Amino acid sequence: MNNRQVDIMIDLQNTSVPITGIELARKYGVSIRTIRNDIKIIEEAAIKADATFIKKQNVGMQIISSSPLTKFIDERKGLNDYIRFELSEQRFLLLAYFLLNDQPITIDELASTFDISKGTVVSRITDLKKVLSESSIRIKGIKNKGYFFIHDGTEILNIVDVLTKEIGIARLNNLFFNSNNIFFEEKTLIKISEVESILQEELLCSNSNPFLFRFWLGYIIKRAYIHDHKSLSSTKKAKSSTKILNVISQVQKRADIVFDENDINILRFCLLNYT
């Protein structure tokens, strides 16, 4: 859960009367769609905490719990120290957030997620655009919708590789793979570990760059969940050794996950460069 979602959860528990989605959208300066997405996560968290989530159409929402949900305050996902990070770290964290989200992102959403002002968000986006200006990768803003991240699979791999070399691997691992991170859900973290184990077993080797290997695994796994590919992807078009193609096929079967052609190319790149 990010900071806004935790705050909304606390609001829903502390209120004496139900709160509507429109009221929450106004209070937090985000769209109704964003609030709906937040509520799904909050409802699941409340149920896990043995609280009762009340939702009545045209009336509002409320959380009833015998004890305060204070643990969520201590377990907030977010980057409260984002503004104190080095500029190179800020660039990569922002790029990663765009890359790992498959829908437009608004200034309000970024400000809430990173716990910074809207002005700082605009400044950092401008800076990131300059860094990407010599590539074909673009951050495109569309009025009333948000920002889109436009890239091709090959070039972004090299950009990420360059940006992460300026940051310590231990720091990156802590930001992206702890249980309270803002980038990967728990089910994705579990699947990353599962796929990583299968790959190590199949290839009998270790990773030369554990962070980037796991980061790209997380990316393609998250994409597979979002797009819900229905049939096992073919690896015939990928230009690589038969062994790597067979390994990728085994990963899909054993991990019960389906990759599209772009995902397969990214995984192939990781196997060739990080193992």
Side-chain angles (χ1 to χ4, degrees):
M1 294 175 68
N2 62 36
N3 289 345
R4 181 185 62 251
Q5 290 161 358
V6 172
D7 288 338
I8 291 172
M9 173 178 271
I10 305 260
D11 286 346
L12 293 177
Q13 185 184 25
N14 290 341
T15 184
S16 58
V17 294
I19 304 174
T20 67
I22 292 175
E23 290 173 326
L24 290 171
R26 287 174 181 165
K27 177 176 180 178
Y28 291 96
V30 296
S31 67
I32 288 293
R33 184 186 66 179
T34 297
I35 291 297
R36 289 196 188 109
N37 291 335
D38 287 345
I39 291 303
K40 290 178 184 177
I41 294 170
I42 292 167
E43 185 173 3
E44 183 179 336
I47 291 171
K48 286 182 179 179
D50 295 324
T52 301
F53 190 96
I54 300 172
K55 183 164 58 175
K56 295 182 180 179
Q57 190 172 6
N58 300 323
V59 176
M61 298 163 287
Q62 192 174 6
I63 293 175
I64 306 297
S65 177
S66 58
S67 60
L69 301 174
T70 52
K71 71 170 187 174
F72 289 99
I73 298 176
D74 297 327
E75 295 178 2
R76 287 176 184 233
K77 291 182 181 179
L79 297 167
N80 293 325
D81 294 326
Y82 176 84
I83 201 65
R84 298 187 182 90
F85 291 165
E86 296 292 333
L87 185 56
S88 59
E89 295 172 325
Q90 293 183 17
R91 286 171 183 159
F92 180 66
L93 292 170
L94 186 58
L95 181 145
Y97 196 77
F98 275 119
L99 183 62
L100 294 168
N101 281 276
D102 201 48
Q103 60 184 1
I105 304 171
T106 66
I107 294 292
D108 289 330
E109 290 167 7
L110 288 168
S112 176
T113 297
F114 291 100
D115 199 19
I116 54 179
S117 69
K118 295 178 185 178
T120 300
V121 170
V122 173
S123 176
R124 293 300 174 267
I125 289 176
T126 301
D127 177 70
L128 184 56
K129 284 181 176 179
K130 290 179 181 178
V131 172
L132 301 174
S133 62
E134 295 183 4
S135 71
S136 64
I137 302 168
R138 293 290 178 266
I139 299 173
K140 184 178 180 181
I142 296 182
K143 190 175 181 180
N144 298 325
K145 289 188 176 181
Y147 286 88
F148 294 82
F149 194 61
I150 304 169
H151 68 94
D152 70 59
T154 304
E155 196 168 18
I156 190 63
L157 288 161
N158 296 322
I159 292 289
V160 168
D161 189 63
V162 170
L163 290 179
T164 53
K165 284 179 180 177
E166 302 176 20
I167 311 171
I169 295 300
R171 187 168 175 83
L172 286 170
N173 276 324
N174 183 55
L175 289 170
F176 282 82
F177 299 115
N178 71 74
S179 60
N180 299 319
N181 80 88
I182 65 169
F183 299 99
F184 299 116
E185 297 177 346
E186 184 179 359
K187 68 175 183 178
T188 303
L189 292 176
I190 292 171
K191 188 64 74 172
I192 289 171
S193 297
E194 181 184 354
V195 170
E196 191 173 27
S197 296
I198 293 171
L199 287 170
Q200 290 175 349
E201 181 182 327
E202 293 285 340
L203 292 171
L204 299 176
C205 63
S206 57
N207 304 328
S208 59
N209 190 324
F211 170 74
L212 280 181
F213 193 81
R214 300 194 83 214
F215 176 83
W216 286 116
L217 280 184
Y219 171 75
I220 64 176
I221 288 167
K222 194 168 183 177
R223 271 176 45 85
Y225 283 144
I226 291 171
H227 297 292
D228 191 22
H229 308 306
K230 299 299 182 182
S231 59
L232 197 62
S233 301
S234 170
T235 58
K236 292 180 180 179
K237 293 182 180 180
K239 297 178 180 179
S240 188
S241 70
T242 302
K243 180 177 181 180
I244 286 182
L245 298 184
N246 288 338
V247 166
I248 293 174
S249 293
Q250 285 300 312
V251 167
Q252 292 184 96
K253 291 175 182 176
R254 293 177 58 183
D256 191 25
I257 193 166
V258 179
F259 300 136
D260 65 14
E261 187 176 342
N262 180 62
D263 299 335
I264 289 170
N265 286 330
I266 290 174
L267 182 52
R268 178 174 59 87
F269 176 92
C270 292
L271 292 174
L272 289 172
N273 291 277
Y274 304 138
T275 59

